[in-house]
Amino acid sequence: MTRRWLTSTLCVLALLAPGSLGTASASASASEGGRTPLRVTTRNLYLGADLSPVLAATTPQGLVAAVTAVWSSVRATDFTERAEALADEIAESAPHLVGLQEAVLWRSQTPAGPGSATHVEYDFLRILLDELAARGKHYAPVASVTVGSDFEAPRSTPAGLQDIRLTDRDVLLARTDLPARAFSVANAQAARFRDHVPVCRPALGCPPGPALKIERGWVSADVTLRGRAARVVTTHLEPAAPAVQEAQAAELLAGPLNTKLPTVLLGDLNSAAGGVGATPGTATRSYDRLLAAGFQDVWTANRHRPRGPGFTCCQAPGLRNAASGLTQRIDYVLFRGKIHALTADLVGANPADRTPSGLWPSDHAGVTSTLRLR
């Protein structure tokens, strides 16, 4: 992707701001009626900073100051520490599939200048996979999609300017330690949505050439569990523009969700269930549209209905708030077709889930669920 320098990058970063109670049930690892259930988890990893402060920058100097603050937050919300808690969650519930949002790659270039930054500072996906492997849990990406472009801008250091580059990805992980006769994955697909948010603002100056944009996407795969097949789709819908988000939901229904297979949709939909906790401008109809298309929500439909509202968003940007700040339910496991929802649990939502230094694992809680394929 062609890099856009300074002020144009500001516009892009500003709209990437991130939009989740309990541990997985012991029954999640047991067979239901002698039949192995499909276990799935959705987890927004949190890119590590609130990027909205860059919105106030109107000059190159202001942009440098904003990116410097963002990078300081990314370092302070250290993903290498948070990944240990996230890996513990996944290891405990041992899902067959994990949908990841904001599985970002942070890179740098010193000194700042022409060309793209290539030095890896944090690869969230690699760090998490390594932590899982250290726990004897073996996962690999089925497919991934880079959402938006690679965005790069300079920050200030004592030695001068350093470029910081953000690459955002959505990923579907699958277990690799099961025999094919028990669990297999095929027909992996990934794509960006046609509908997106243009981000150039005239007050900040627009670059020549094609307009910058924030793109979102989806990843899907067809899985077979003990002879029973289903399609699993993960996504991260647009939070900043309700009309765009609803168009993306419609594209999902016409695209990867348009199948006769039993279907599971998991991810951060950024659409508050029932409008509870929705902020001004937040899309709420995407969730309702999916339910109208025949999907059910594991949080309300499972056999062992959980207690509480199931809020999944959002902790403070610095992740060190003592009391949970979750007030919205925007992360879901939805299903349609010949599927029974057995359990649903939140992960990373209790104070006890925080890291030894006091970080929440993410600004979202995750949702883990067991589903019986009929």
Side-chain angles (χ1 to χ4, degrees), residues 120-168:
V120 175
E121 298 282 352
Y122 295 98
D123 183 341
F124 284 17
L125 178 59
R126 183 72 265 158
I127 293 169
L128 180 60
L129 290 173
D130 287 347
E131 289 292 342
L132 287 167
R135 290 156 176 75
K137 303 299 179 181
H138 302 288
Y139 288 84
V142 173
S144 67
V145 59
T146 298
V147 288
S149 301
D150 285 339
F151 306 120
E152 189 166 333
R155 77 174 182 103
S156 177
T157 76
L161 295 180
Q162 178 190 55
D163 281 344
I164 296 296
R165 179 181 176 188
L166 168 64
T167 305
D168 191 8

Side-chain angles (χ1 to χ4, degrees), residues 185-211:
V185 179
N187 192 30
Q189 301 181 64
R192 295 177 181 175
F193 293 112
R194 293 186 300 270
D195 287 273
H196 60 270
V197 175
V199 297
C200 180
R201 297 191 176 192
L204 300 177
C206 295

